[in-house]
């Protein structure tokens, strides 16, 4: 087993029973000693060019006596009064804030933290993100609008505590299952509750958290170690990985994906991000921060594609979904880099204008705000183009339940992908949001940015299929925004017909919201993906970029976009899977996908078909890793540490005196004893110093007899 050494309690680890008559198998004993916690999410370590953030346990896991903290006064027992440190705290979600965690960070009396989810969401808001998201990687700097740099003018996320960007030297886990939280509380009630101000008697209920991280210090350090390992080791061991994935993009009119668009061809980019984040690994619902905008974007793409004259429009439209934007604009900075290096079909010179959707679900009344860049506004030609863009957007809202207002020229752009394009070139653009200044979203980058946050509500008693099809008020509201955006894009592209027929479908929006926020494994998503991808349809959607790619969100945005904007073509499975060998397939212009299709009525078999679309993927890996500039201040440098195991469990521990008695009786060497500390759960308090011992009822030793 792993070495012990976690304060007074040691680490149970994996152990084997000493060989004495009547012993049972170790695995059987372990099952009786430990209660595993199966529904948890850890805080893990991330690194950038200069430092590390997140959490980790010691190499053999950290152990502590459980103490439940439901109000701030309960901390006194942990920090000063309790006689059995170190403590493993079960923390009420409403107390998971910067003030409490900074107290715990500064003491050796705490070995770890298990956080229960607050229900309902904390009314005061909770955002572990920064007050100034992606600070230093947008367009504003000492050389460009210095008065706007570092959120000097507008603090976008005032609720932000920055907890996600702190470094903790103990493990912190989220308890996702209320039943498991109750089991821990019951164990605490039965064994650990202080009696009349004095410490409880043994045995005590303890918890162990395993989340040891391999990478330390910074991305510069971990990538250098990776490089050394790869160069000199026969079996290289990677310690961290760059955050990476793929951007999803498509065009209204097909373009040669392996060639170059003519320099004279003008393209309007409409963009959103598709990733989110929270304090805990892969817990990133992102309802307002990401999903509301990319679902609206997808609905606008569908509405525009249905216009009768889209293929004869003067300008093309590119629908772009960026991955990794939470981490210093990974996706958008990579696309700009590829455009500059001629590694993308478009050049920056092709961009006519830029429209970005960015948090649009929490409108105050009907108002949607148009943000522009006050610095490029000073350029007369850019100002004229921006003014035209704003006018077209405003006119497109006539007759819709959307009122577009200008945020004004006295404040900068909010955090947005558009900023990375502005760093490279003065492009006319606008960012659409539901907030004029500070975010309406009180749960930005947190586990509470859920469907409830964007007011999604369903009648009780609906089946999953009925819920999928039920059009919520949120879906209607986002469809209105999508309609305005689609009509504006049509006008920007040179369309001259009446736009009243361009209408986003609330039914499509409600399906997407259900799929991306409540249940990915639904009948619609099942029907539109490839058969070999059905395994990605987990139950609860999360939108963290991670290091494996593509992640579920990327795949699903890809296939939803293909479904909404593509065409069903009459090709066989063989032809669809091998368009290179299919006459007139024009593979340079189109992507082909053989998808599962819906279930045949009254049958368990599906009716698959071939979809032709212009949807493509492009790499969303920061240029810093392409250039091996791991200390870059120009590009994102975020990496995620590797680890061997993540797990949590609870068990009982007995007194030190019993441990000493156990050692004398069995004449065990110290290392063996340390690795059998978990036996303390089952030994009788009336342990007798002989070769036999009293067996408690309902214990493993009774079964051994």
């Amino acid at each position: 087993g792993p070495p012990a050494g976690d304060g007074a309690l040691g680490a149970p680890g994996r152990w084997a029973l000493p060989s004495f008559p009547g012993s049972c198998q170790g695995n059987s004993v372990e099952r009786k000693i430990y209660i595993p916690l199966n529904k948890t999410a850890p805080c893990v370590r991330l690194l950038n060019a200069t430092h590390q953030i997140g959490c980790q346990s010691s190499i053999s896991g950290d152990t502590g006596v459980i103490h439940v903290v439901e109000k701030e006064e309960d901390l006194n027992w942990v920090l000063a009064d309790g006689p059995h440190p170190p403590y493993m705290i079960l923390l009420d979600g409403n107390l998971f804030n910067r003030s409490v965690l900074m107290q715990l960070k500064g003491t050796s009396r705490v070995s770890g933290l298990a956080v229960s989810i607050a229900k309902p969401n904390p009314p005061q808001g909770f955002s572990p993100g920064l007050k100034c998201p992606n600070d230093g990687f947008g367009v504003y700097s000492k050389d460009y609008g210095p008065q706007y740099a570092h959120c000097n003018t507008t603090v976008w996320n005032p609720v932000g505590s920055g907890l996600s960007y702190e470094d903790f030297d103990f493990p912190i886990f989220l308890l996702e299952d209320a039943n498991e939280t109750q089991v821990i509380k019951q164990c605490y009630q039965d064994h650990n509750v202080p009696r009349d101000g004095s410490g409880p008697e043994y045995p005590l209920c303890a918890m162990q958290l395993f989340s040891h991280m391999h990478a330390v210090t910074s991305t510069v350090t971990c990538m250098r170690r990776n490089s050394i390992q790869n160069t000199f080791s026969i079996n290289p061991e990677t310690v961290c990985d760059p955050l990476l994935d793929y951007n999803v993009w498509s065009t209204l009119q097909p373009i040669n994906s392996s060639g170059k668009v003519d320099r004279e061809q003008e393209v309007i980019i409409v963009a959103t991000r598709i990733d989110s984040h929270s304090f805990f690994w892969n817990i990133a619902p992102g309802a307002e921060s990401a999903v509301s905008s990319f679902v609206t974007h997808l609905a606008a793409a569908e509405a525009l594609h249905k216009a009768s004259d889209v293929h004869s429009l003067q300008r093309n439209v590119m629908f772009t979904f960026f991955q990794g934007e939470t981490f210093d604009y990974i996706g958008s900075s990579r696309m700009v880099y590829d455009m500059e290096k001629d590694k993308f079909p478009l050049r920056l010179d092709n961009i006519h204008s830029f429209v970005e959707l960015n948090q649009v679900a929490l409108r105050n009344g009907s108002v949607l705000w148009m943000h522009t860049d006050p610095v490029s506004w000073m350029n007369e030609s850019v100002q004229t183009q921006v003014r035209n863009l704003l006018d077209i957007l405003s006119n497109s809202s006539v007759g819709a339940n959307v009122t577009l207002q200008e945020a004004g020229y006295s404040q900068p752009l909010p955090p947005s992908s558009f900023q990375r394009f502005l760093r490279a070139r003065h492009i006319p653009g606008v960012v659409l949001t539901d907030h004029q200044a500070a975010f309406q979203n009180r749960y930005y980058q947190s586990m509470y940015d859920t469907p409830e946050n964007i007011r999604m509500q369903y009648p009780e008693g609906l089946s999953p299929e009925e819920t999928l099809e039920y059009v919520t008020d949120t879906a209607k509201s986002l469809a209105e925004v999508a309609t305005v955006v689609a009509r504006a894009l049509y006008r920007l592209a040179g369309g001259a017909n009446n736009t009243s027929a361009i209408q986003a479908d609330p039914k499509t929006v409600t399906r997407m919201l259900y799929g991306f926020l409540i249940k990915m494994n639904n009948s619609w998503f099942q029907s539109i993906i490839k058969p070999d991808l059905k395994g990605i349809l987990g139950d609860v959607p999360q939108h963290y970029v991670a290091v494996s790619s593509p992640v579920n969100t990327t795949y699903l945005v890809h296939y939803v976009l293909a479904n909404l904007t593509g065409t069903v073509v009459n090709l066989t499975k063989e032809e669809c899977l091998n368009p290179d060998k299919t006459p007139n397939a024009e593979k340079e212009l189109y992507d082909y996908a053989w998808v599962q299709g819906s279930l045949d009525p009254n049958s368990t078999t599906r009716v698959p078909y071939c979809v032709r679309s212009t949807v493509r993927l492009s790499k969303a890996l920061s240029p810093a890793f392409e250039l091996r500039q791991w200390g870059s201040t120009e590009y994102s440098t975020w990496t995620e540490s590797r680890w061997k195991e993540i797990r949590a469990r609870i068990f009982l521990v007995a007194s030190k005196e019993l441990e000493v008695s156990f050692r004398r009786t069995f004449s065990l060497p110290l290392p063996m004893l340390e690795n059998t500390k978990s036996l303390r759960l089952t030994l009788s308090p009336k342990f007798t110093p002989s070769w036999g011992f009293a067996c408690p009822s309902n214990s493993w030793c009774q079964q051994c007899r």
Side-chain angles (χ1 to χ4, degrees):
D6 292 7
L9 288 167
R14 293 181 181 274
W15 50 272
L17 279 171
S19 295
F20 55 85
S23 68
C24 301
Q25 293 298 313
N27 285 342
S28 173
V29 176
E30 184 167 342
R31 284 196 297 271
K32 293 187 176 297
I33 291 173
Y34 298 111
I35 297 177
L37 303 172
N38 297 317
K39 290 287 289 179
T40 62
C43 159
V44 304
R45 175 165 290 163
L46 297 167
L47 311 100
N48 67 9
T50 54
H51 60 287
Q52 64 185 31
I53 64 171
C55 319
Q56 77 157 354
S57 74
S58 61
I59 195 166
S60 54
D62 288 332
T63 307
V65 171
I66 295 169
H67 191 73
V68 174
V69 174
E70 295 180 324
K71 52 188 184 298
E72 285 219 40
E73 302 87 81
D74 296 337
L75 288 173
N76 295 333
W77 185 262
V78 172
L79 299 176
D81 302 337
H84 304 117
Y87 284 96
M88 192 65 73
I89 296 174
L90 174 57
L91 186 69
D92 184 271
N94 288 297
L95 292 176
F96 185 59
N97 56 50
R98 187 175 187 87
S99 169
V100 170
L101 262 71
M102 290 303 104
Q103 291 182 66
L104 304 181
K105 187 177 180 179
T107 176
S108 61
R109 290 175 59 87
V110 174
S111 58
L113 204 58
V115 182
S116 63
I117 296 176
K119 291 191 176 177
N121 292 353
Q124 72 277 15
F126 173 74
S127 171
L130 299 170
K131 292 183 185 300
C132 192
N134 289 354
D135 186 24
F137 289 86
V139 71
Y140 303 109
S141 66
K142 60 182 175 59
D143 301 317
Y144 188 99
Q147 68 272 36
Y148 305 118
H150 314 301
C151 294
N152 285 338
T153 306
T154 307
V155 177
W156 296 105
N157 186 31
V159 183
S161 66
L163 273 182
S164 287
Y165 297 85
E166 290 287 339
D167 183 32
F168 295 94
D169 61 358
F170 53 78
I172 304 178
F173 279 50
L174 178 69
L175 300 172
E176 298 181 74
D177 187 337
N179 291 330
E180 289 189 344
T181 302
Q182 195 53 46
V183 167
I184 300 169
K185 285 185 176 180
Q186 190 61 54
C187 193
Y188 167 79
Q189 291 288 340
D190 292 345
H191 298 279
N192 294 10
V193 175
R195 308 295 177 190
D196 301 320
S198 60
E201 294 182 2
Y202 287 97
L204 299 175
C205 191
M207 182 185 295
Q208 187 175 33
L209 302 178
F210 295 83
S211 63
H212 181 66
M213 300 286 122
H214 292 255
V216 295
T217 309
S218 67
T219 290
V220 176
T221 300
C222 81
M223 292 301 290
R224 185 174 64 241
R225 289 179 180 174
N226 285 352
S227 184
I228 292 169
Q229 282 278 324
N230 290 328
T231 304
F232 297 108
S233 176
I234 297 173
N235 298 305
E237 191 164 311
T238 301
V239 296
C240 72
D241 302 279
L243 296 182
L244 63 92
D245 205 84
Y246 288 88
N247 299 322
V248 182
W249 64 276
S250 75
T251 51
L252 190 62
Q253 301 160 359
I255 62 172
N256 188 334
S257 61
S258 57
K260 278 288 171 197
V261 171
D262 290 341
R263 290 189 180 276
E264 297 74 34
Q265 174 70 60
E266 291 183 323
V267 178
I268 301 149
I269 291 184
V270 55
T272 49
R273 61 181 245 199
I274 58 175
D275 67 299
S276 186
H277 180 44
S278 83
F279 187 88
F280 299 99
W281 185 78
N282 205 31
I283 300 295
E288 161 74 337
S289 61
V291 178
S292 70
S293 54
F294 75 67
V295 160
T296 304
H297 184 170
L298 288 163
E302 179 190 37
L304 186 57
H305 267 270
K306 288 179 177 177
S308 57
D309 57 338
V310 288
H311 294 294
S312 60
L313 293 177
Q314 175 188 346
R315 301 183 185 96
N316 206 346
V317 178
M318 185 167 111
F319 307 99
T320 315
F321 301 81
F322 292 119
Q323 261 288 15
E325 294 300 272
T326 304
F327 295 95
D328 300 336
Y329 305 119
I330 293 173
S332 55
S333 63
R334 180 53 186 258
M335 184 171 282
V336 171
Y337 174 84
D338 286 346
M339 286 180 175
E340 290 178 318
K341 301 297 180 185
D342 277 346
K343 295 180 178 180
F344 194 80
L346 266 67
R347 304 173 180 87
L348 289 170
D349 291 346
N350 292 118
I351 301 173
H352 168 269
S353 51
F354 199 104
V355 177
E356 181 168 353
L357 288 156
N358 187 343
Q359 298 197 102
V360 293
L362 298 177
R363 286 188 289 152
N364 191 354
S366 64
V367 178
L368 197 65
W369 295 94
M370 301 183 289
H371 299 261
T372 55
D373 172 40
V375 179
S376 59
W377 181 267
M378 305 306 291
N379 180 306
E380 195 171 327
S381 65
V382 173
Q383 183 182 138
T384 303
Q385 292 171 288
V386 172
R387 184 74 265 162
N388 179 56
L389 179 55
L390 295 175
D391 289 344
I392 286 175
L393 278 162
S394 295
N395 293 336
S396 298
S397 68
V398 174
N401 187 27
V402 179
T403 305
L404 282 162
Q405 293 188 19
E406 295 177 29
Y409 318 119
S410 59
Q411 68 174 24
L413 289 165
S416 51
S417 305
F418 179 42
Q419 291 200 32
R420 290 302 303 196
F421 285 79
L422 274 181
R423 278 174 76 123
R425 185 172 173 269
H426 277 172
I427 297 169
V430 63
V431 178
L432 301 175
T433 74
D434 55 23
H435 56 89
Q436 180 180 13
F439 295 162
Q440 295 269 55
N441 186 5
R442 294 173 298 141
Y443 305 107
Y444 183 75
Q445 286 186 13
S446 96
M447 56 194 172
Y448 300 115
D449 191 5
T450 57
E452 292 77 20
N453 187 32
I454 59 171
R455 304 163 190 154
M456 282 175 62
Q457 294 180 322
Y458 296 93
E460 292 204 10
L462 296 182
S463 68
E465 200 62 31
E466 289 169 337
T467 311
L468 172 68
E469 300 294 340
Y470 181 82
V471 180
T472 62
D473 289 342
T474 303
K476 293 173 188 173
S477 174
L478 293 181
E480 290 164 354
V481 175
T483 296
V484 171
V485 171
R487 290 174 180 177
L489 292 172
Y490 175 80
R491 284 275 179 254
L492 282 167
N497 292 343
N498 189 301
T499 59
S500 59
I502 299 176
Q503 189 79 41
D505 186 354
K507 198 131 191 134
T508 300
V509 176
T510 215
R511 284 177 162 193
M512 289 191 283
L513 289 173
Y514 179 80
F516 284 112
L517 286 174
I518 296 176
K519 191 180 173 83
M520 280 184 168
N521 196 10
N522 63 73
S523 60
W524 186 47
F525 277 7
Q526 289 166 8
S527 71
I528 64 175
I529 62 168
K530 292 180 177 180
D532 58 348
L533 290 178
K534 60 186 177 185
I536 71 169
L537 297 177
D539 275 342
V540 182
Q542 304 296 347
H543 306 294
Y544 173 58
V545 58
V547 297
S548 59
S549 61
V551 295
N552 301 15
T553 309
T554 304
Y555 275 127
L556 289 170
V557 168
H558 181 164
Y559 287 101
V560 169
L561 183 59
N563 177 269
L564 298 181
T565 64
T567 306
V568 176
V569 289
N570 188 23
L571 295 179
T572 65
K573 180 179 179 180
E574 188 66 29
E575 291 169 332
C576 191
L577 295 176
N578 299 283
D580 287 337
K581 302 174 184 176
T582 305
N584 306 317
E586 299 179 294
K587 191 173 185 295
E588 300 79 17
L589 301 180
Y590 297 104
D591 175 73
Y592 291 83
W594 184 256
V595 300
Q596 289 198 125
S598 301
L599 288 170
D600 208 357
N602 303 319
S603 169
T604 57
T605 59
R606 294 185 175 275
V607 184
Y609 56 91
C610 186
V611 176
R612 185 185 73 182
S613 72
T614 62
V615 183
R616 306 283 182 176
L617 299 179
S618 67
K619 197 176 287 187
L621 170 67
S622 170
F625 298 100
E626 199 98 339
L627 300 167
R628 296 176 67 85
Q629 294 176 0
W630 305 320
S632 174
T633 55
E634 168 74 9
Y635 297 113
S636 172
T637 54
W638 286 105
T639 52
E640 182 186 88
S641 174
R642 287 201 178 183
W643 58 81
K644 276 200 166 62
E645 64 174 345
I646 299 286
R647 60 194 175 105
R649 56 193 187 179
I650 63 173
F651 56 98
L652 295 183
V653 292
S655 67
K656 277 291 186 183
E657 290 75 16
L658 183 58
E659 176 186 327
V660 171
S661 177
F662 183 73
R663 180 189 298 141
R664 286 175 180 165
T665 302
F666 288 104
S667 302
L668 290 173
L670 184 61
M672 175 63 79
L673 179 68
E674 290 298 324
N675 283 338
T676 55
K677 282 185 180 178
S678 42
L679 275 169
R680 290 176 292 183
L681 169 64
T682 54
L683 294 178
S684 167
K686 297 177 180 176
F687 181 84
T688 50
S690 65
W691 284 111
F693 56 88
C695 281
S697 61
N698 301 319
S699 72
W700 61 269
C701 60
Q702 288 284 2
Q703 291 193 20
C704 289
R705 284 182 167 179

